[in-house]
Amino acid sequence: MSADGGPRRLLIRDLAQLATPAGRGAPLRGVELGRVDVLEDAFLLCDDGVVAGVGRMHDLEPLAGDVDELDGRGLCAVPGLVDCHTHACFAGDRVEEFALRASGATYEELHASGGGIMSTVRATRAAGGEELVRAVRRHGRWMLRAGTTTFEAKSGYGLDLETELASLQAIREGGGVATWLGAHALPPEFDDADAYLDFALREVLPRAAELAEAADVFVERGAFDVAQARRYLEACRGAGLALRLHGDQFTEQGAVELAIELGARSVDHLEATGDRGVSQLADSAVVGVLLPASALFLGRPMPPARALVAAGAAVALATDFNPGSAFCESLPLVCSLAATQLQLSPAEALTACTVNAAHVLGRADRLGRLAQGYAADVVLLNAPDWRYLAYHLGGDVVSQVVVAGVPVELP
Ligand code: NIG
Ligand code: FE
């Protein structure tokens, strides 16, 4: 509300450029992925939290009534970034493991010897719910500073009833979109993955389904196989959750086929996906979520992004922010990796971490574009050209963030 009680309006004026994925539908695939509309010398009008109009300054009609103004000179506007894959709810860190990996230990070895994910499970179980809320809020502030205005976060570091529910609650209180990653790893009190799933589906799912929007499973050697993942996901779908999978991170185990069979929203990672998986995904409605910061952090091969886009698959980009395989909350850095390592253009990268990522979260009707009727979530880049989003590798490129039409203090 403004001082006069009317809806709050904000005019961002004199922008060097405004860039937004073109069109209206989602997810965008093939040549559509790279179609970005760019307006020079632009304005953006926000009214009551949504975009009321965009255009060129010389077409701006005089506005009657109260309007706050933001000076966009020297800045470029892009949609608020959407991080559709993070593990932002955890306690502790894995800096020791990071140092060990730097001197040659592998992620899979650390996991197999009880470190890796399990060390974060121990720390997260030991934290109380309030500490988890503080952690999600802290990580959300890091993301906001990097231009992320909507983030998903997964549980999966609790793997017991109390900590999984506390994690999902913390994600919601911390402003995230919650995903139940009930099948992330086998917790130490079970020595059989099927027995663990019996427990998780019987005890945790009914309550997790009230807090989460989606369910996720790690399909991998040493985690869950396809039969176990199918059982878990079918039960989750029955409880009303959308489906996601971690698949083909290290080895192809059939996660792509399973995602398609079950009508999942996405299959994420895909570093090990071969030609068959690429063409299967291209013929499906499942989005391939690419996580190049994770591949970089682990020194692993990059996913076949160019082949996926060329074949017509829908792709999104996300950070995978977590303490072990991707301690990186920056989508601008992910866009730089997309351009330098995945052979995606800056325009393809922008679409992949805005409207396509919003589609993965079931929000593409209102997030991910700077067009009339979409949420007025805006990132102002401190740059003369919007492509600095990808070009300025590791740069401090975000100047200001607007959430629901309100400029926010960057923490
Ligand atoms: O997406 N691969 C499984 N899960 C996470 C990593 C979690 C961790 O190492 O703590 C991932 O990379
Ligand atoms: Fe992940």
Side-chain angles (χ1 to χ4, degrees):
M1 288 281 185
S2 66
D4 65 6
R8 184 164 183 163
R9 291 195 296 169
L10 174 73
L11 176 69
I12 309 175
R13 55 179 303 145
D14 297 303
L15 288 157
Q17 293 179 331
L18 179 152
T20 180
R24 285 262 154 189
L28 298 177
R29 52 177 81 231
V31 289
E32 297 289 315
L33 187 70
R35 295 230 164 97
V36 165
D37 289 336
V38 181
L39 293 174
E40 310 272 342
D41 192 20
F43 74 87
L44 182 139
L45 179 65
C46 314
D47 192 340
D48 211 13
V50 299
V51 176
V54 299
R56 306 279 311 270
M57 279 306 289
H58 61 70
D59 296 325
L60 178 62
E61 311 268 343
L63 296 165
D66 275 357
V67 186
D68 294 333
E69 292 200 355
L70 197 65
D71 182 0
R73 276 176 297 180
L75 307 176
C76 292
V78 295
L81 306 178
V82 177
D83 199 339
C84 67
H85 182 140
T86 87
H87 304 253
C89 184
F90 62 86
D93 63 37
R94 304 249 284 279
V95 64
E96 285 303 334
E97 173 188 313
F98 176 73
L100 287 173
R101 283 200 300 101
S103 40
T106 72
Y107 180 79
E108 283 175 294
E109 282 162 12
L110 291 158
H111 182 64
S113 64
I117 293 172
M118 287 321 302
S119 72
T120 301
V121 169
R122 287 188 286 276
T124 304
R125 285 180 174 184
E130 281 172 25
E131 189 181 333
L132 293 180
V133 174
R134 280 197 297 276
V136 176
R137 291 211 169 113
R138 179 168 64 249
H139 300 147
R141 285 195 296 274
W142 296 355
M143 292 189 235
L144 184 66
R145 211 155 52 193
T148 296
T149 52
T150 302
F151 68 94
E152 178 260 19
K154 304 169 196 300
S155 65
Y157 292 125
L159 306 176
D160 62 19
L161 176 66
E162 186 190 345
T163 319
E164 283 297 301
L165 297 179
S167 298
L168 294 171
Q169 194 64 51
I171 291 162
R172 289 167 61 117
E173 280 182 43
V177 176
T179 297
W180 182 44
L181 179 51
H184 194 193
L186 186 61
E189 55 280 15
F190 290 89
D191 45 27
D192 173 62
D194 285 294
Y196 168 66
L197 289 179
D198 288 343
F199 153 77
L201 294 175
R202 191 182 60 240
E203 306 284 332
V204 189
L205 172 60
R207 309 223 354 233
E210 290 169 10
L211 297 169
E213 296 189 14
D216 199 342
V217 51
F218 185 19
V219 183
E220 189 54 77
R221 233 173 24 199
F224 296 89
D225 66 24
V226 163
Q228 291 158 347
R230 182 184 287 107
R231 177 157 83 96
Y232 170 79
L233 291 172
E234 281 178 341
C236 291
R237 186 174 57 185
L241 296 171
L243 307 183
R244 316 270 311 261
L245 294 86
H246 280 68
D248 297 358
Q249 182 179 11
F250 299 101
T251 55
E252 282 188 290
Q253 299 285 330
V256 167
E257 286 96 327
L258 183 63
I260 296 167
E261 174 195 322
L262 297 180
R265 286 241 183 99
S266 72
V267 55
D268 306 35
H269 273 292
L270 306 177
E271 289 95 312
T273 303
D275 293 346
R276 207 172 117 80
V278 167
S279 61
Q280 287 171 324
L281 263 186
D283 289 337
S284 81
V286 178
V287 178
V289 177
L290 310 176
L291 309 165
S294 168
L296 181 78
F297 203 75
L298 296 184
R300 303 280 310 165
M302 289 287 159
R306 197 68 251 158
L308 284 163
V309 175
V315 299
L317 282 166
T319 60
D320 197 21
F321 173 70
N322 75 74
S325 72
F327 197 49
C328 170
E329 72 280 9
S330 170
L331 280 171
L333 183 62
V334 166
C335 287
S336 296
L337 294 176
T340 59
Q341 309 299 306
L342 301 184
Q343 290 81 48
L344 297 186
S345 68
E348 291 172 327
L350 179 70
T351 302
C353 67
T354 54
V355 71
N356 276 15
H359 173 79
V360 171
L361 300 185
R363 286 162 165 75
D365 57 335
R366 54 193 191 277
L367 294 182
R369 283 189 173 96
L370 297 179
Q372 203 167 355
Y374 284 80
D377 295 345
V378 190
V379 177
L380 299 179
L381 303 172
N382 184 16
D385 184 299
W386 74 270
R387 293 171 297 181
Y388 273 54
L389 177 68
Y391 170 52
H392 198 168
L393 181 71
D396 185 15
V397 76
V398 174
S399 158
Q400 171 83 68
V401 178
V402 172
V403 176
V406 180
V408 294
E409 281 296 318
L410 287 187

